């Protein structure tokens, strides 16, 4: 279940924390990394258990309604949702129950949230349509819970708050874990009964080793990696670079150099996305250009044996207009900030005319966070 996207996020968070911590100890930091990854697997099981918790609450409500109907000689309520075949199978799942018992995870202390969630579900159109249709097959029951999860659990701010209070490690995990819960629901098969396999914590030992190796390479080779950044950003005042940008590029370089099976462009794309989430608004564009230049530098120096596509050709404004007139379609520009060599008005005029200059030299890129604290990230 713990994939490399989640591992990269955790390595970024723990590397950042490592440099913020005055008492740097890489062994302790590595244990913290693996522990934080294991907490993501806890969350995966805990969210699956929420389906069971809702089902049990619905069963309790049905029992009360059944007793009332008997007293008032009314028709007994439908048991369809309370005994949804997928939910019952999940409730009996051996892997889930064993894990919850071992980790002492339960929704009993959050029953009020579970009841509010039940109210939302019962008031929904999806629920009404499900209860009113005569179909009573396993696939329909499983698909119902996939829809309910996406609608009421995947993007639920109250649930996000509750989870954050339970574990700080879950703050950034839920979005990724949600995809695995949905994948698990889709994989369930009726014939597997209570032996249906859930996703393992790691796909294989290689992914777990990927986390360890990436983190250690990032820390132990920090001086070399930062030198590559400095040498590649020729006209750049390296000391003004955003603190988080340095961490992101440092990890990206570690991945480029230590994992020959991962293509360079995959690494660049992954860490550009992390920059958009965790650093300044302009960091994604800047890091895209920097990592591209660093990778070409490493290949040119013989430090990395990987292939990269040829750099994109530089296009002028006239080239772009002529291509449009000749029916060749618009030119796609690589957007990158420019250096503070112009006045703000000149920069705005240029931006309005061209968007951003394509394939500008990395050394000419503008400061991505002028208010960031200067970087001081010495190796252990």
């Amino acid at each position: 279940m713990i994939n490399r996207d989640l591992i990269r996020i955790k390595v970024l968070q723990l590397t950042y924390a490592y440099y913020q911590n005055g008492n740097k100890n890489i062994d302790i930091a590595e244990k913290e990394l693996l522990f934080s990854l294991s907490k993501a697997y806890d969350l995966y099981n805990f969210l699956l258990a929420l389906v069971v918790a809702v089902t049990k609450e619905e069963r309790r409500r049905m029992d009360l309604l059944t007793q009332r109907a008997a007293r008032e000689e009314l028709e007994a309520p439908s048991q369809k949702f309370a005994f949804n075949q997928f939910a019952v199978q999940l409730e009996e799942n051996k892997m889930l129950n064993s894990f919850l018992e071992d980790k002492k995870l339960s929704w009993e202390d959050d029953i009020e949230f579970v009841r509010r969630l039940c109210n939302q579900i019962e008031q929904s159109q999806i629920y009404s349509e499900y209860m009113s249709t005569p179909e009573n097959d396993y696939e329909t029951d499983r698909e119902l819970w996939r829809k309910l999860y996406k609608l009421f659990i995947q993007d639920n701010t109250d649930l996000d708050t509750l989870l954050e209070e339970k574990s700080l490690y879950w703050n950034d995990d839920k979005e990724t874990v949600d995809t695995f819960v949905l994948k698990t629901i889709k994989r369930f098969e009726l014939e597997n009964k209570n032996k249906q396999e859930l996703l393992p914590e790691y796909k294989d030992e290689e992914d777990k080793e990927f986390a360890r190796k990436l983190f250690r390479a990032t820390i132990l080779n920090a001086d070399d990696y930062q030198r590559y950044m400095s040498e590649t950003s020729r006209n750049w005042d390296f000391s003004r670079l955003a603190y988080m940008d340095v961490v992101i590029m440092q990890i990206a370089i570690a991945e480029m150099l230590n994992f020959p099976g991962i293509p360079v462009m995959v690494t660049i794309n992954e860490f550009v996305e992390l920059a958009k989430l965790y650093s300044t608004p302009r960091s994604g564009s800047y890091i895209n250009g920097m990592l591209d230049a660093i990778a070409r530098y490493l290949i040119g120096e013989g430090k990395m044996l990987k292939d990269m596509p040829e750099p994109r050709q530089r296009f002028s404004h006239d080239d772009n207009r002529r291509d449009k007139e000749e029916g060749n379609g618009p030119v796609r520009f690589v957007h990158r900030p420019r250096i503070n060599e112009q006045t703000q008005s000149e920069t705005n005029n240029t931006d309005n005319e061209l968007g951003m200059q394509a394939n500008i030299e990395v050394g000419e890129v503008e400061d991505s966070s002028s208010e960031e604290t200067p970087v001081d990230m010495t190796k252990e």
Side-chain angles (χ1 to χ4, degrees):
M1 187 220 79
I2 297 173
N3 65 0
R4 295 194 175 185
D5 290 342
L6 185 58
I7 289 173
R8 290 183 181 101
I9 292 173
K10 293 297 186 181
V11 169
L12 173 59
Q13 293 171 344
L14 268 294
T15 301
Y16 186 89
Y18 176 86
Y19 287 118
Q20 296 285 67
N21 186 352
N23 299 319
K24 298 174 183 177
N25 186 309
I26 194 169
D27 293 325
I28 294 176
E30 183 183 286
K31 290 179 181 178
E32 180 71 9
L33 169 65
L34 296 177
F35 179 74
S36 68
L37 287 168
S38 72
K39 293 297 291 183
Y41 193 61
D42 290 356
L43 178 59
Y44 165 74
N45 284 272
F46 194 53
L47 290 173
L48 285 172
L50 179 55
V51 175
V52 176
V54 168
T55 300
K56 289 181 176 180
E57 170 60 20
E58 288 291 334
R59 206 170 292 155
R60 184 189 70 84
R61 296 183 179 195
M62 186 204 65
D63 288 342
L64 293 175
L65 290 174
T66 300
Q67 294 171 17
R68 178 180 176 182
R71 289 195 305 269
E72 300 177 3
E73 299 183 349
L74 299 174
E75 183 180 354
S78 171
Q79 299 183 1
K80 188 175 182 180
F81 185 59
F83 288 92
N84 176 284
Q85 295 174 76
F86 162 76
V88 170
Q89 184 185 12
L90 183 62
E91 181 182 4
E92 297 172 351
N93 185 269
K94 288 186 175 182
M95 280 187 67
L96 179 62
N97 287 322
S98 176
F99 187 91
L100 296 175
E101 182 179 353
D102 182 60
K103 296 289 184 175
K104 302 296 187 291
L105 291 173
S106 169
W107 283 93
E108 291 180 2
D109 293 337
D110 302 290
I111 190 62
E112 290 305 318
F113 171 80
V114 173
R115 288 171 179 169
R116 289 196 303 271
L117 183 59
C118 287
N119 293 340
Q120 293 173 337
I121 290 173
E122 290 174 3
Q123 295 166 12
S124 69
Q125 183 177 353
I126 294 175
Y127 176 85
S128 298
E129 291 175 352
Y130 170 77
M131 296 298 287
S132 62
T133 55
E135 287 84 358
N136 191 27
D137 59 276
Y138 180 82
E139 287 73 20
T140 300
D141 284 7
R142 184 184 59 198
E143 179 62 15
L144 170 74
W145 263 110
R146 191 184 69 83
K147 291 178 179 178
L148 291 176
Y149 191 96
K150 293 178 70 173
L151 186 60
F152 295 107
I153 300 177
Q154 189 167 9
D155 296 310
N156 186 319
T157 55
D158 289 339
L159 176 57
D160 292 342
T161 301
L162 183 150
L163 294 175
E164 186 174 353
E165 291 174 353
K166 287 185 172 296
S167 174
L168 293 175
Y169 294 98
W170 290 349
N171 189 34
D172 294 315
D173 294 350
K174 186 173 180 294
E175 183 176 352
T176 301
V177 173
D178 280 334
T179 64
F180 290 113
V181 173
L182 289 167
K183 181 178 180 180
T184 299
I185 293 173
K186 191 173 182 179
R187 287 179 53 179
F188 260 59
E189 297 291 345
L190 180 61
E191 57 267 23
N192 293 331
K193 298 182 180 179
N194 63 1
K195 296 180 180 179
Q196 172 74 47
E197 290 188 1
L198 306 181
L199 296 177
E201 185 171 3
Y202 289 93
K203 181 181 67 176
D204 49 41
E205 189 62 27
E206 184 180 344
D207 274 356
K208 191 171 185 179
E209 185 59 28
F210 173 77
R212 289 196 190 99
K213 187 175 180 180
L214 181 60
F215 180 68
R216 281 192 168 268
T218 298
I219 301 299
L220 297 177
N221 301 301
D223 289 346
D224 289 339
Y225 298 163
Q226 290 180 32
R227 186 175 71 253
Y228 300 152
M229 297 180 216
S230 181
E231 290 175 355
T232 309
S233 58
R234 289 167 295 181
N235 299 327
W236 179 256
D237 183 359
F238 189 68
S239 65
R240 295 179 64 194
L241 187 62
Y243 187 93
M244 182 59 79
D245 288 355
V246 174
V247 176
I248 291 170
M249 287 191 288
Q250 192 171 313
I251 302 169
I253 296 170
E255 181 171 302
M256 289 179 188
L257 291 175
N258 292 278
F259 299 91
I262 302 178
V264 173
M265 298 312 298
V266 170
T267 297
I268 292 177
N269 291 337
E270 292 291 343
F271 285 95
V272 165
E273 291 304 310
L274 288 183
K276 293 176 183 177
L277 290 173
Y278 289 97
S279 195
T280 67
R282 293 186 173 183
S283 291
S285 297
Y286 175 73
I287 287 176
N288 179 53
M290 276 290 294
L291 289 179
D292 184 275
I294 291 169
R296 295 184 191 281
Y297 165 80
L298 294 172
I299 292 172
E301 293 292 314
K303 299 179 184 296
M304 181 170 68
L305 301 177
K306 289 184 178 181
D307 295 325
M308 287 189 69
E310 291 297 320
R312 292 188 182 185
Q313 181 181 352
R314 185 190 300 269
F315 289 93
S316 68
H317 183 56
D318 291 337
D319 292 331
N320 193 27
R321 184 173 61 244
R322 184 167 56 252
D323 281 344
K324 289 181 180 180
E325 291 172 354
E326 294 174 357
N328 294 331
V331 175
R332 295 184 62 191
F333 285 88
V334 178
H335 296 287
R336 295 182 185 145
R338 304 185 64 178
I339 193 169
N340 288 328
E341 292 177 351
Q342 301 167 291
T343 64
Q344 185 62 44
S345 61
E346 289 172 335
T347 302
N348 291 338
N349 290 337
T350 304
D351 290 350
N352 292 335
E353 181 182 358
L354 298 179
M356 283 291 182
Q357 184 178 356
N359 293 324
I360 194 166
E361 292 291 340
V362 175
E364 299 174 359
V365 180
E366 182 183 355
D367 183 2
S368 60
S369 63
S370 58
E371 297 181 2
E372 288 282 349
T373 305
V375 178
D376 180 12
M377 298 170 58
T378 56
K379 187 172 68 174
E380 179 185 23

